[in-house]
Amino acid sequence: MADAQYLDDVARYADPVDEAAVDGIVKHLGIALRSSADAALVACSDSTETDRVRESWCERKLGLTDAEANDAAIAAVCTTMKADKNKARVTFYYLLAEHFGKLSDLH
């Protein structure tokens, strides 16, 4: 079962929360979540970071090859989470997967 901190953060944006999908994201990110505070966060103002999200998450993990659609979804999640100075990577990835209807792929 996913760590409560991840579930609570995702629950701020999604209702209901797919716990198995959160577990899948946490497993995918693995040690990166614990390696540094920066690795656990997404910086929407950093184009290198958003490129990394598009390439490693949207394209590789979710199998989505339309860069324009991926960039639009990333921008939409940035807008959704704009009130959060520190955007949790697990929540960010969850919202992207939800946007594309890919939550069940993460189980």
Side-chain angles (χ1 to χ4, degrees):
M1 183 167 139
D3 189 307
Q5 81 181 47
Y6 301 123
L7 292 172
D8 290 346
D9 196 62
V10 171
R12 294 173 45 227
Y13 297 98
D15 183 33
V17 175
D18 182 332
E19 291 186 37
V22 173
D23 277 338
I25 294 167
V26 171
K27 286 177 187 170
H28 171 76
L29 293 171
I31 194 122
L33 288 175
R34 294 179 291 281
S35 67
S36 74
D38 284 346
L41 304 173
V42 173
C44 287
S45 60
D46 181 352
S47 64
T48 302
E49 173 69 9
T50 56
D51 289 348
R52 183 179 307 113
V53 169
R54 183 186 66 245
E55 293 164 8
S56 67
W57 182 249
C58 294
E59 293 174 5
R60 288 189 202 127
K61 180 65 179 173
L62 299 181
L64 304 165
T65 57
D66 184 337
E68 193 172 303
N70 292 340
D71 287 342
I74 291 167
V77 173
C78 285
T79 299
T80 297
M81 295 182 74
K82 70 182 174 191
D84 292 343
K85 181 180 181 205
N86 296 318
K87 293 162 185 59
R89 189 170 300 274
V90 170
T91 302
F92 199 93
Y93 283 11
Y94 183 97
L95 294 176
L96 282 171
E98 182 179 56
H99 172 86
F100 288 111
K102 296 280 194 173
L103 289 176
S104 63
D105 293 356
L106 302 174
H107 294 188

